[in-house]
Amino acid sequence: MKEYTEDYLKHISDIIHADNEDQARAELAELHPADIAKLYENLSLNEAEYLFKLLDEDAAADVLMELDEDDRLKLLSDMPAEEIAKQIDHLDTDDAVDLIQQLDEEEREEILSKIEDIEQAGDIIDLLNYDEDTAGGLMGTEMIVVNENWSMPECIKQMRLQAEDMDEIYYVYVVDNDQKLRGTFPLKKMLTHPSVSKIKHVMETDPVSVKVDTPIDEVALDFEKYDLVAMPVVDSIGRLLGRITVDDVMDQVREASERDYQLASGISSDVDADDTVLAQTKARIPWLLVGIASGLLASAILGTFEAQLQAVTALALFIPIIGGTGGNVGVQASAIVVQGLANGSLDIKNFAKQLGKEILIGLLNATVMSAVVLVYNLITMPGDLAVTVSVAASLFIVVMFASLLGTIVPLTLEKIHINPALATGPFIQISNDIVGLIIYVQISTFFLSVLPH
């Protein structure tokens, strides 16, 4: 990615304000579309629009898809429907769908009606009907398809015709007369088997494919598992519908990771650093208010414990340990589960197995930590057996509870189709803080009544 210094940006700005189109085109010709998109982020909207109009149609379409969604919308908002339709004519269908999905229903219909390629417009309309979080919502229809019964000369002729409208060729897919996916045709076979009678005699059978309604996270796992650069998409009876490329999958994985990170950080909606103050506040305030509410609840719980705290002030010293340890254990447990669900190493069907495993881990962690605190308190406050036992016992139970909560919550969220990343953030931390305090208060009250202090 090209770095833009203040001097370079001033140089570009001077060219724009001098209305020097030839020099501006020369500067743009040296840049990759991704670098041009990055340049736009450092310019005013008027300056970006000036440069955009100087690009040829292919380059303009590429730059448009490289832009951040917000910057893309700004450019599109000042662009007539006819111009947007021209840009779409130079995009693959999957990119065209991504662009059109950002627009409202009325704008979509107007733009689709102005696309000159009727077949492409129809493909886009079909793709818009798929859930954007499935293989169908991610696939494009640009691919080379040959029939298994074609001869080699006929196959080569058809491949050349189809390739004219494609920027990249990843695989050649082989179908039967019913358009069902039968295999892939390695280009090497054109050289090594130039006189073969039918393609089906040299094609590679049983290609890795994905159903059109497969969730994107499962698609990503298949790409990683089989080291693919593209994957065919089929319907419920095996008919070839389209293909997904690895760059589209990586974009989705990156976006999903960003969403999960924000969710785990207590940010309730997708925001960026350059979003408005109001947008960022709206995304961040909900969990902060929940945190305030939990803090008030914690104060109320401690209020019921006021007499004991006044009588034995040492109990107050261990409140941060109880709450902090429970939160840390819960976040650790939930992070392992969420990671396992994301990379496929953990299946929701193994709920009981994972729970049993976490119970054993919790027992070990709880035993070690409570033993350390018990020994410390026996040494530092040998005469206060009630506090020593209360803290150790509370810590043991809190760690066990946090381990189970951190495992059960993300698995349950996954089962009911809610993003389990929610379980690695404030939800777990706040839950463990409140429950940890309740456990500490109840256990301490009991041991203060039966042990010397």
Side-chain angles (χ1 to χ4, degrees):
M1 183 68 72
K2 182 178 176 63
E3 294 293 330
Y4 297 111
T5 63
E6 289 187 13
D7 288 341
Y8 180 79
L9 292 173
K10 185 178 184 305
H11 169 65
I12 294 295
S13 184
D14 289 342
I15 291 174
I16 294 171
H17 291 292
D19 196 20
N20 192 334
E21 293 188 2
D22 290 338
Q23 190 173 356
R25 285 193 178 93
E27 293 284 350
L28 293 174
E30 298 178 1
L31 299 176
H32 186 277
D35 292 324
I36 297 176
K38 188 68 177 178
L39 173 62
Y40 284 3
E41 295 177 11
N42 294 279
L43 300 175
S44 69
L45 179 59
N46 289 335
E47 291 173 333
E49 288 177 340
Y50 178 90
L51 292 181
F52 188 80
K53 291 175 182 177
L54 300 180
L55 297 169
D56 62 54
E57 291 179 341
D58 285 332
D62 290 338
V63 170
L64 203 56
M65 294 314 300
E66 292 287 350
L67 286 171
D68 174 84
E69 288 188 3
D70 291 337
D71 292 329
R72 187 189 305 152
L73 275 177
K74 290 176 184 177
L75 271 180
L76 294 176
S77 64
D78 288 340
M79 199 179 295
E82 293 84 354
E83 181 62 29
I84 298 176
K86 286 182 181 179
Q87 302 300 332
I88 289 175
D89 276 333
H90 294 271
L91 292 174
D92 287 343
T93 49
D94 53 337
D95 289 333
V97 169
D98 289 342
L99 187 151
I100 290 177
Q101 281 178 332
Q102 288 187 261
L103 308 174
D104 59 42
E105 191 66 33
E106 186 176 337
E107 289 177 305
R108 290 184 190 182
E109 292 179 0
E110 183 179 4
I111 291 167
L112 287 170
S113 68
K114 296 183 183 301
I115 295 176
E116 294 181 0
D117 189 336
I118 301 301
E119 184 177 351
Q120 185 192 31
D123 288 341
I124 293 171
I125 292 172
D126 290 340
L127 293 178
L128 285 170
N129 291 324
Y130 294 112
D131 187 332
E132 61 181 328
D133 292 325
T134 64
L138 196 60
M139 72 178 181
T141 56
E142 292 79 13
M143 54 187 172
I144 294 183
V145 183
V146 299
N147 189 287
E148 63 178 351
N149 295 310
W150 287 352
S151 64
M152 185 64 76
E154 185 178 5
C155 176
I156 295 173
K157 177 183 177 182
Q158 291 296 326
M159 287 169 58
R160 285 173 176 167
L161 289 173
Q162 295 178 42
E164 289 180 357
D165 298 325
M166 296 183 61
D167 295 326
E168 300 287 347
I169 299 174
Y170 300 97
Y171 297 103
V172 176
Y173 299 113
V174 183
V175 298
D176 61 17
N177 293 331
D178 295 321
Q179 295 302 306
K180 291 183 179 180
L181 180 65
R182 305 297 295 171
T184 57
F185 175 55
L187 299 180
K188 179 181 176 181
K189 296 296 177 75
M190 288 194 301
L191 301 175
T192 57
H193 297 77
S195 60
V196 66
S197 60
K198 290 186 177 181
I199 296 302
K200 63 182 177 183
H201 296 149
V202 292
M203 70 179 184
E204 292 183 355
T205 57
D206 300 322
V208 177
S209 63
V210 64
K211 294 286 183 62
V212 70
D213 57 353
T214 303
I216 287 177
D217 52 354
E218 293 183 24
V219 175
L221 292 175
D222 282 343
F223 266 88
E224 181 181 14
K225 180 179 179 180
Y226 298 107
D227 293 325
L228 300 172
V229 294
M231 185 187 297
V233 181
V234 298
D235 64 12
S236 59
I237 60 174
R239 290 176 298 187
L240 181 62
L241 298 177
R243 56 91 188 108
I244 298 173
T245 56
V246 66
D247 58 321
D248 294 324
V249 172
M250 291 302 100
D251 287 342
Q252 291 295 323
V253 169
R254 175 182 56 79
E255 290 176 8
S257 297
E258 290 175 354
R259 286 196 298 270
D260 288 351
Y261 182 78
Q262 291 187 344
L263 195 59
S265 302
I267 299 175
S268 58
S269 61
D270 189 14
V271 291
D272 293 314
D274 59 353
D275 283 339
T276 65
V277 171
L278 181 60
Q280 292 197 46
T281 301
K282 287 170 63 178
R284 293 158 67 173
I285 198 66
W287 274 111
L288 295 177
L289 292 176
V290 172
I292 290 292
S294 72
L296 295 175
L297 179 58
S299 299
I301 293 171
L302 290 175
T304 65
F305 196 47
E306 185 177 0
Q308 291 91 329
L309 288 175
Q310 289 177 345
V312 186
T313 55
L315 287 171
L317 301 176
F318 297 97
I319 292 174
I321 293 178
I322 298 297
T325 303
N328 289 337
V329 170
V331 169
Q332 282 185 347
S334 60
I336 293 295
V337 174
V338 171
Q339 183 184 43
L341 292 171
N343 63 27
S345 62
L346 175 61
D347 194 321
I348 190 66
K349 297 175 183 176
N350 298 328
F351 191 111
K353 180 181 178 181
Q354 182 63 25
L355 189 59
K357 188 175 183 179
E358 191 58 39
I359 289 174
L360 292 177
I361 295 172
L363 280 170
L364 290 172
N365 286 336
T367 300
V368 170
M369 286 188 284
S370 59
V372 168
V373 172
L374 180 65
V375 171
Y376 173 82
N377 284 347
L378 286 173
I379 294 172
T380 57
M381 49 180 70
D384 206 337
L385 189 59
V387 173
T388 298
V389 175
S390 294
V391 173
S394 297
L395 190 60
F396 184 92
I397 296 174
V398 165
V399 170
M400 286 300 302
F401 172 81
S403 298
L404 294 177
L405 186 69
T407 302
I408 292 172
V409 170
L411 288 172
T412 302
L413 291 176
E414 175 73 10
K415 198 173 185 66
I416 60 178
H417 307 295
I418 296 177
N419 193 335
L422 177 65
T424 61
F427 180 81
I428 287 290
Q429 188 77 44
I430 291 171
S431 299
N432 282 315
D433 285 349
I434 298 300
V435 175
L437 273 178
I438 293 173
I439 291 172
Y440 187 43
V441 167
Q442 296 301 318
I443 288 180
S444 297
T445 300
F446 171 76
F447 282 115
L448 285 174
S449 65
V450 298
L451 293 177
H453 58 85

